[in-house]
Amino acid sequence: MEPLTNTYTAKASGNSSYRIVAIGGEGIGPEVVEASLTILQRVAKLEGFTLEVEYGLLGKIALEQMGSYLPQATIELCDRADGILFGSVTQGGLLELRKHFDFFCNLRPIRSFNSLLHKSSLRPEKIKQLDILIIRELVSGIYFGPSGRASDEKGIYGFHTMRYYDEEIRRIARSSLQQAEKRRGLLTIAHKENALPHIPWTRLVQEEATKFPDVIIEPMLVDNLAMQMVLNPQRFDVILAGNLFGDILSDLGGALVGSIGLLGSASINSNGFGLYEAIHGTAPDIAGKGIANPLGTLASGILMLEQWGKTSAAQRIKEAQERVLNQGYRTADLFPQGEEIFVNTETLVNLLLEEL
């Protein structure tokens, strides 16, 4: 993954030491964050740099212990960090964190492991290596528009408002065009302009695209886009979507590669500072059982390394993952069958450490 911006440098730490704020959150979040930190620390040692880890609170646990979903103490920790490695929360704190640091550009790669291609949702004749990048606008749209509960003569109702400023669309368009230019040169715009004509994604992206003559722009209604992702996902390169559509489409990507537990994300602001989190939720049904798949959070850690320019360290982890999976080791979400070997979180981490 090419960094979103080349302007970012590790704050006050030089290129040999990086500071991470780890926020486990709720559910399986603390488990997968700790598992990923163990691997990141090992590869940092092998590659000759150091990671300093501090821990922050967010979400329900922060509310219980500090009286706020997003405590000021957590914000101050993040202010001093080079990256935030995040687990999961049910509600409260995460949207506020994204908004506070203006993490507007959410990168969600959908890449398949060779050893897991047969576990995807695709028909056998459609199974090929996948490499799609979904770019989701993350700090505006329906999740941040006016909302509430009210009543009129018909009764009580709820409302959430999808609102986008033109400049918010233009800036995510520029980031998406930069990524597409570095990749295969195709940018697909997810839109619903037949029903939402006052939010002109297509026109605004096309206007920004005049500065990127080598990128092909492909507007596509989001419902058709979702269908095409299932029928022929290899046709896509970079997909640009608003907050709501990007959320849904990237979860669909989990089915394409075998599990939502495999997918990570990077949420980057204009300075290149980022929040790195798996796209899965808290999974309360398996929390505390030691069987969670840490590869989604680890994929997020890989994106963090790449954003820092630590491409060799990132590649080491990718290759170690592929070797472990090629040996048949699987966590529960990957539905082991036949000769595949079920392992828990700790065993998978140890296998990855051995491969590193």
Side-chain angles (χ1 to χ4, degrees), residues 18-195:
Y18 297 84
R19 180 177 291 166
I20 297 174
V21 172
I23 302 176
E26 306 161 30
I28 63 171
E31 301 170 53
V32 293
V33 166
E34 282 303 316
S36 300
L37 285 172
T38 299
I39 296 163
L40 290 169
Q41 290 283 20
R42 174 64 61 87
V43 79
K45 183 176 181 180
L46 292 169
E47 290 285 327
F49 62 95
T50 60
L51 298 177
E52 178 185 343
V53 180
E54 298 180 286
Y55 290 85
L57 296 178
L58 191 81
K60 184 179 179 181
I61 188 171
L63 181 66
E64 293 171 349
Q65 295 188 21
M66 305 184 74
S68 171
Y69 284 113
L70 175 58
Q72 181 62 29
T74 298
I75 293 174
E76 292 174 2
L77 282 176
C78 295
D79 279 333
R80 302 194 300 269
D82 301 306
I84 306 165
L85 190 65
F86 179 72
S88 55
V89 293
T90 50
Q91 62 179 7
L94 181 55
L95 294 182
E96 294 87 345
L97 182 67
R98 291 170 176 172
K99 193 72 171 180
H100 179 85
F101 287 101
D102 196 27
F103 292 132
F104 73 96
C105 186
N106 183 226
L107 307 174
R108 296 195 169 199
I110 301 172
R111 295 195 188 107
S112 53
F113 291 98
N114 290 328
S115 52
L116 294 176
L117 287 177
H118 66 289
K119 289 302 177 188
S120 80
S121 66
L122 304 177
R123 300 192 303 273
E125 68 271 18
K126 292 290 186 181
I127 293 177
K128 297 177 183 178
Q129 190 76 24
L130 284 180
D131 183 7
I132 303 170
L133 176 60
I134 293 179
I135 300 184
R136 170 188 174 194
E137 199 291 324
L138 202 62
V139 296
S140 192
I142 200 166
Y143 295 160
F144 290 92
S147 62
R149 300 281 291 171
S151 63
D152 60 16
E153 66 278 4
K154 294 182 180 180
I156 300 172
Y157 65 91
F159 64 96
H160 291 266
T161 306
M162 182 182 291
R163 181 170 65 186
Y164 268 107
Y165 288 95
D166 286 3
E167 179 51 35
E168 291 175 325
I169 296 175
R170 289 183 183 279
R171 72 169 181 172
I172 194 69
R174 290 190 290 270
S175 297
S176 302
L177 288 159
Q178 290 168 10
Q179 290 292 331
E181 188 176 50
K182 298 170 186 173
R183 289 169 52 97
R184 302 194 301 276
L186 174 62
L187 177 61
T188 303
I189 308 166
H191 71 90
K192 190 67 176 173
E193 291 169 11
N194 56 341

Side-chain angles (χ1 to χ4, degrees), residues 202-277:
T202 297
R203 175 176 63 81
L204 295 171
V205 175
Q206 288 175 334
E207 288 176 1
E208 292 298 322
T210 59
K211 308 178 189 73
F212 298 84
D214 295 329
V215 178
I216 297 171
I217 305 300
E218 177 189 47
M220 189 175 294
L221 287 168
V222 67
D223 28 12
N224 180 39
L225 200 160
M227 180 177 71
Q228 295 302 326
M229 281 183 67
V230 174
L231 295 176
N232 188 22
Q234 289 82 13
R235 73 179 300 285
F236 294 106
D237 180 18
V238 179
I239 298 173
L240 168 61
N243 214 335
L244 177 61
F245 296 158
D247 193 355
I248 296 168
L249 292 172
S250 55
D251 285 359
L252 173 59
L256 298 179
V257 300
S259 171
I260 198 173
L262 295 170
L263 301 182
S265 75
S267 304
I268 311 295
N269 66 19
S270 59
N271 295 321
F273 178 54
L275 168 71
Y276 304 89
E277 59 177 308

Side-chain angles (χ1 to χ4, degrees), residues 35-36 38-40 42-43 46 113 293-296 298-299 302 316-327 329 331 343-356:
S36 300
T38 299
I39 296 163
L40 290 169
R42 174 64 61 87
V43 79
L46 292 169
F113 291 98
N293 185 349
L295 295 184
L298 186 58
I302 290 170
R316 270 186 188 255
I317 301 175
K318 291 178 184 178
E319 292 173 358
Q321 288 178 124
E322 196 68 74
R323 289 195 297 270
V324 168
L325 292 172
N326 278 334
Q327 294 170 44
Y329 295 105
T331 48
V343 295
N344 60 21
T345 312
E346 182 180 5
T347 301
L348 181 62
V349 168
N350 289 333
L351 288 165
L352 288 168
L353 292 174
E354 290 173 10
E355 287 297 330
L356 286 171

Side-chain angles (χ1 to χ4, degrees), residues 327-341:
Q327 294 170 44
Y329 295 105
R330 302 287 187 269
T331 48
D333 59 306
L334 298 176
F335 304 110
Q337 297 175 355
E339 299 299 317
E340 296 167 311
I341 307 163

